[in-house]
Amino acid sequence: MSRLQVVSGKGGTGKTTVAAALALALATEGRRTLLVEVEGRQGIAQLFETEAFPYEERKIAVAPGGGEVYALAIDAERALLDYLQMFYKLGGAGRALKKLGAIDFATTIAPGVRDVLLTGKACEAVRRKNKQGAYAYDYVVMDAPPTGRITRFLNVNDEVAGLAKIGPIHNQAQAVMRVLKSPETAVHLVTLLEEMPVQETVDGIAELRGAELPVGKVIVNMVRPHVLDEAAVRAVTGDRRKEVAKTLTRAGVTGSAKLVTPLLEQAAEHAERVELEREQRAVLGTLGLTTYELPLIGEGMDLAGLYRLASELRELGVGE
Amino acid sequence: MTVDAAGALAIDPLLDDAGTRIIVCCGSGGVGKTTTAAALGVRAAERGRKVVVLTIDPARRLAQSMGIDSLDNTPRRVKDVEGEGELHAMMLDMKRTFDEIVEAHADPERAKAILTNPFYQSLSAGFAGTQEYMAMEKLGQLRARDEWDLIVVDTPPSRSALDFLDAPKRLGSFLDGKFIKLLMAPAKMGGRAGMKFLNVGMSMMTGTLGKLLGGPFLHDVQTFVAAMDTMFGGFRTRADATYRLLQAPGTAFLVVAAPERDALREAAYFVERLAADDMPLAGLVLNRVHGSAAARLSAERALAAAESLEEAPEEGRVESTEDPEEKRAENLDERGIVDQEGGKAGGRGSSVSSPEAAQTVKNSKTVKNSKNSKDVEPDKTAGPVETPGLSESVHHAPSADDSVERLTAGLLRLHAERMQVLAREQRTRERFAALHPEVRVAEVAALPGDVHDLAGLRTIGDRLAAGGSPVGSA
């Protein structure tokens, strides 16, 4: 399994949750994973119900079997200062640059530099080794920008390498690109069984493939149970309605006569959704990718729900 | 049923008010922001106004729903809008907008120098802030043309919520900063008499940047900055003017959200941020709110009833002879254990909580098959469960009688699921209302499917205007 797991998806599909669950799922049997966030939203901290992270890798969860999940919210400015310090011993000069607005320029205005720093930091964590020569993290999971931006975000190094034709930024960009385009990386897209997210997933995969970035899996999130189908709902007319009303009364439901219509309306909506979901599954099926389905956590996402999703992912074969 | 103190947000008066000139829809990704903007545009136009909708990155389907195959940087008239009004729609093309500004504000030679500069090309197409700057520019342009009496703007899916509000300030601080002066210095001086300006900081900086980025890159940046020099002032003036326009009384901000924890947390942040910037907030549009016309039947009672129906044949109980009151009391008693054990699990030889996980996993894997087999065994093939008890397997030979029971049980289970969604949405909404009781809310009842056409956008508009009380949720 690729050591850099990039998780993207349309807004609202729960990509941060899936990224966190994946990091937990991969951290079994004493393994260590690093969960990185690149958009400065502190979504991981909120998910794990901890306070906002400073710019440091810190342990946020223990997985079943003794594994550990670390998290890092990558900050472009700090990453650039670290980088200057690491390669040029520019501690003081870095501060001077900041005062001048040069750091601001590099991290917010200059095209691509910010993204290079963010992906660069993630790749550094992927390649980092400890004193014993083993990898510091078994897996790095990135909560990446949404589907609409993911290809540009990952591919920006190519662009920057073209823009900065020589020098360390150029070299850095190329080194990062080598990791991102190798089998060491897998880009997963999270979707819902709804038309727009599925369409965006299909488009996103075409873009990723066009840029020769390694597409991983499609993860369908928040899948709801199918209870009734359309045929069953349609069958309820005339005498059947009376039977349903009687059956409701028999089961202890009072005022059942007035309930039949609204209950059937709800069932018809459900059946319509089931049909739409079937169509969207068929669309996803044409992509030729492994698809994982994760259930909707009905009570709302919390830590317990996160661990449950992680165990779902393990059962589906993640980390094997 | 809405609990917030400020009450419902009335959409039609807002759209009908000739004083409303700009409506800005903002919100986090995936909450239906663009659809809301389009639906508002359709509704306002059909109520007689001349409207333009500026979308940032619409899904293809949405552009098609307005009868336009591909939206571009020029407003296009949307056909089949009823009534006196007009609807125009466009999609922001940030590179095109940037190019046009350059072409409009620089002489041809300078414009060419800028447009071919590699740094400019990358900046105009790629960099994350460009979209926000250009959205502001475009809004200013549309307003200045004065051809429309209402502009509905969708906002970019920014990495941080209100980047577009920061755009003018960020541009300003960049342009006023020492850094740009230093960058411009060598180009301006042409390397001649400028030596005395090249103080220590300068040489250190260009030296460092040169090392980092490579000499040619820095040279591109410097040439770009020098060429843009005369235009920067104009950028800032216009950005500042648009910012003030947003604060003016003719503007109404709508924060769009879905009744989910994360989306409402973002919405609360938007509300606070708009207040801090003195931006006029009209209210919150809460999309995809679920209601039920059978809300008086609780989830617990529905589940208990479903279980008793599914059990009955196995145990050979004669339900009809039972006193209905007694039966109901029994169901009520069960409510206490529903949360922990998923109902009457004990008597059925299947404990719920632990095998459920295994079953769910199996369901996840076998979803493809389930499509085909669900007719035969609906319960068995139900997808992953929402709460314990919702999709337990029930085995008994199908018979005519039986299927009414199974059907009724299915209806009840669906209802229980719906009621749980309702309860969850209610909790999130109450949390938001407690935090921001002053914010008016328009709730949009959820549609089972997606929006494909003008009719769909009209339906959304109707639901928006129906506002405070989604069908049957009272």
Side-chain angles (χ1 to χ4, degrees), chain B residues 196-265:
Chain B
K196 67 180 168 190
F197 291 95
L198 294 178
N199 55 30
V200 181
M202 174 65 195
S203 57
M204 179 200 77
M205 196 195 60
T206 47
T208 308
L209 279 179
K211 260 198 243 166
L212 260 178
L213 303 169
F217 185 30
L218 190 61
H219 179 75
D220 285 343
V221 175
Q222 285 175 329
T223 320
F224 166 76
V225 167
M228 292 289 282
D229 185 23
T230 52
M231 292 175 52
F232 279 141
F235 263 112
R236 186 167 17 167
T237 313
R238 288 193 305 279
D240 284 345
T242 310
Y243 186 82
R244 283 194 303 275
L245 188 65
L246 291 176
Q247 289 175 324
T251 301
F253 277 85
L254 289 177
V255 173
V256 186
E260 287 146 21
R261 197 179 56 169
D262 289 351
L264 274 171
R265 184 165 41 212

Side-chain angles (χ1 to χ4, degrees), chain B residues 5-25:
Chain B
L9 165 67
I11 290 290
D12 285 341
L14 180 71
L15 296 180
D16 293 343
D17 183 356
T20 310
R21 302 297 306 272
I22 296 173
I23 294 178
V24 186
C25 298

Side-chain angles (χ1 to χ4, degrees), chain A residues 21-275:
Chain A
L22 184 59
L24 264 176
L26 288 169
T28 45
E29 291 151 34
R31 287 183 292 203
R32 274 157 65 105
T33 61
L34 177 67
L35 177 59
V36 299
E37 171 171 66
V38 295
E39 294 194 289
R41 285 166 32 188
Q42 293 288 346
I44 297 174
Q46 284 168 4
L47 199 55
F48 283 91
E49 294 162 19
T50 62
E51 56 198 89
F53 304 125
Y55 183 68
E56 66 178 31
E57 290 159 34
R58 67 162 57 170
K59 187 156 88 178
I60 53 163
V62 178
E68 293 171 326
V69 179
Y70 284 71
L72 171 69
I74 305 180
D75 175 273
E77 187 178 309
R78 289 289 305 270
L80 179 58
L81 291 174
D82 280 2
Y83 183 78
L84 292 173
Q85 178 62 23
M86 207 185 319
F87 290 98
Y88 301 97
K89 313 278 175 250
L90 279 179
R95 278 193 297 278
L97 285 172
K98 189 171 175 176
K99 233 174 150 184
L100 283 167
I103 299 289
D104 224 24
F105 171 80
T107 55
T108 64
I109 313 270
V113 173
R114 179 190 182 86
D115 294 351
V116 171
L117 289 164
L118 298 174
T119 48
K121 180 71 191 173
C123 288
E124 182 270 322
V126 170
R127 284 173 300 184
R128 192 188 310 157
K129 293 192 175 170
N130 60 21
K131 289 190 184 98
Q132 291 77 44
Y135 284 119
Y137 294 104
D138 295 290
Y139 296 101
V140 175
V141 180
M142 182 195 282
D143 175 18
T147 318
R149 284 212 312 269
I150 186 65
T151 302
R152 182 171 279 280
F153 174 75
L154 295 176
N155 215 32
V156 79
N157 289 276
D158 250 6
E159 204 172 299
V160 166
L163 212 56
K165 294 182 185 68
I166 52 168
I169 288 271
H170 173 83
N171 298 340
Q172 162 83 359
Q174 287 212 314
V176 169
M177 223 53 234
R178 275 195 295 277
V179 174
L180 292 181
K181 289 195 172 175
S182 75
E184 258 194 295
T185 300
V187 185
H188 309 298
L189 294 182
V190 182
T191 186
L192 306 178
L193 283 179
E194 289 168 18
E195 208 167 341
M196 285 206 234
V198 165
Q199 184 59 49
E200 208 166 286
T201 302
V202 171
D203 293 347
I205 285 167
E207 277 176 33
L208 287 167
R209 284 176 172 161
E212 291 167 22
L213 289 160
V215 181
K217 296 177 175 64
V218 172
I219 301 169
V220 181
N221 197 18
M222 306 187 210
V223 176
R224 288 174 288 190
H226 290 180
V227 180
L228 284 172
D229 67 359
E230 221 178 314
V233 177
R234 266 204 309 268
V236 187
T237 51
D239 286 351
R240 296 279 288 188
R241 292 178 66 98
K242 283 181 203 143
E243 278 182 70
V244 169
K246 272 187 207 155
T247 314
L248 281 171
T249 311
R250 198 146 51 86
V253 176
T254 51
S256 58
K258 283 183 188 155
L259 285 174
V260 177
T261 303
L263 288 183
L264 282 173
E265 274 167 14
Q266 283 174 193
E269 281 179 24
H270 171 79
E272 186 181 344
R273 206 190 67 215
V274 168
E275 180 56 24

